[in-house]
């Protein structure tokens, strides 16, 4: 919408973040409540509609936007071509988001689909809350830098590393304590979501790499690359989901993550040259975040194996979470202190 575009053009990070976080949290909590109350698949529909409605109202209030429509298109051919590619990218993205629901509902039934959707909503909640607003304001920021690809690539690396620093421990921490989280937060009714939650949570923070790359290639005037990337996801996702359902809903979740990972590698390989960035530079910048996250994951698993059986579920969960925080913080301070500064700047700033 035009009001949203105005916020993006001014790179109003704080306003956009507040709107996105509020919408995501509200929509997710509403879906969980309606699912618990027995609304079934309609919980997903009403949750999404309510979230979009709340976001639209918030944007109109913040921007105080009003304008009479003007349907003249003279002199807008270039903009229409660019906008058409971006719109097509969004359409294919929407299709990709709904492929699991379309296939799983038909092949496995409503109950497995519900487990997959709830696990996916929980796993993606932190990513949606933080990545979506950053990605949206990154596009105009990179567009302003498009004349200097070195600055674009540096901006991409800094924002990507800062987001991974925050999201990797949250998502991978959720993956390693999925059973405890589901029992304590969702209840025993949703125990079947635990392995699905683990499979999805391990991949979702990696979406930082591709989502910000989409903003980067569109920002430097190459939306066709972003569109091809979306088609690549489709091509990888459909056969993987068909293959994964042979092992039930958990197999489908693993297949979803593996297909997304494979597509991500192909898309990054296609996109990195567009912003004058090499694999070596990318891995060198984000490698420390992955080292710290893997160390945390393995450490929490080791701590779990050492816990006595006499502890309650809540006590064990508190110990596991605390150990994960300590391990990740210790590794970060040991090998990658600069990313802490970048992450704090990202969270505190009003605009990028």
């Amino acid at each position: 919408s035009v009001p949203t575009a105005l916020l993006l053009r001014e790179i109003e990070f704080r306003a956009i973040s507040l709107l996105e976080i509020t919408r995501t949290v509200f929509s997710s909590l509403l879906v969980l409540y309606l699912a618990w109350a027995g609304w079934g698949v309609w919980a997903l529909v009403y949750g999404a509609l309510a979230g979009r409605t709340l976001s639209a109202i918030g944007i109109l209030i913040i921007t105080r936007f009003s304008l009479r429509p003007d349907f003249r298109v003279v002199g807008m051919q270039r903009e229409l071509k660019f906008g058409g590619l971006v719109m097509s990218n969004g359409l294919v993205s929407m299709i990709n988001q709904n492929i699991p629901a379309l296939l799983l509902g038909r092949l496995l039934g409503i109950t497995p689909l519900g487990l997959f959707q709830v696990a996916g909503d929980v796993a993606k909640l932190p990513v949606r809350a933080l990545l979506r607003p950053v990605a949206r304001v990154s596009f105009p920021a990179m567009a302003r830098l498009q004349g200097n690809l070195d600055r674009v690539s540096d901006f991409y690396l800094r924002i990507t590393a800062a987001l991974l620093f925050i999201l990797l421990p949250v998502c991978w921490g959720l993956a390693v304590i999925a059973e405890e989280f589901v029992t304590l937060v969702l209840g025993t009714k949703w125990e079947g979501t635990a392995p699905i939650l683990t499979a999805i949570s391990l991949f979702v923070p990696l979406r930082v790499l591709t989502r910000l790359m989409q903003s980067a290639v569109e920002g430097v005037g190459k939306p066709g690359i972003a569109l091809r990337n979306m088609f690549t996801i489709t091509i990888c996702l459909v056969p993987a989901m068909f293959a994964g359902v042979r092992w039930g809903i958990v197999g489908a979740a693993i297949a979803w993550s593996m297909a997304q990972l494979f597509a991500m590698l192909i898309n990054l390989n296609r996109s990195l040259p567009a912003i004058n960035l090499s694999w070596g530079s990318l891995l060198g910048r984000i490698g420390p975040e992955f080292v710290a996250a893997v160390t945390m994951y393995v450490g929490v698993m080791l701590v779990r194996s050492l816990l006595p059986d006499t502890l309650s579920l809540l006590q064990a969960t508190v110990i596991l979470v605390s150990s994960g925080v300590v391990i990740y913080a210790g590794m970060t301070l040991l090998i990658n202190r600069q990313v802490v500064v970048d992450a704090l700047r990202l969270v505190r700033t009003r605009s990028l």
Side-chain angles (χ1 to χ4, degrees), residues 92-223:
V92 179
S93 175
M94 182 179 66
I95 293 173
N96 290 341
Q97 293 173 16
N98 288 281
I99 284 175
L102 293 173
L103 294 181
L104 296 180
R106 185 174 184 84
L107 298 175
L108 296 179
I110 295 179
T111 299
L113 172 60
L115 295 176
F116 184 91
Q117 293 288 71
V118 170
D121 283 342
V122 173
K124 296 171 186 176
L125 177 59
V127 177
R128 287 172 176 167
L130 189 56
L131 174 59
R132 184 177 291 171
V134 174
R136 295 178 74 179
V137 298
S138 293
F139 167 68
M142 295 187 192
R144 292 181 180 182
L145 302 174
Q146 63 180 292
N148 189 332
L149 292 182
D150 289 337
R151 293 185 64 189
V152 173
S153 60
D154 180 68
F155 182 89
Y156 172 80
L157 288 175
R158 286 191 295 107
I159 299 300
T160 299
L163 287 176
L164 287 175
F165 164 71
I166 298 171
L167 293 173
L168 275 174
V170 174
C171 295
W172 286 12
L174 181 60
V176 76
I177 64 164
E179 292 184 4
E180 292 84 358
F181 175 86
V182 168
T183 302
L184 288 173
V185 178
L186 302 182
T188 56
K189 176 182 177 180
W190 296 97
E191 284 181 351
T193 63
I196 308 170
L197 180 59
T198 296
I200 297 177
S201 295
L202 288 174
F203 171 77
V204 288
L206 304 185
R207 294 182 64 184
V208 170
L209 293 162
T210 51
R211 182 61 186 88
L212 291 180
M213 182 58 73
Q214 176 186 332
S215 297
V217 295
E218 290 180 348
V220 299
K222 299 179 180 179

Side-chain angles (χ1 to χ4, degrees), residues 31 41-50:
V31 168
V41 69
W42 289 104
L44 302 173
V45 176
Y46 291 132
L49 289 175

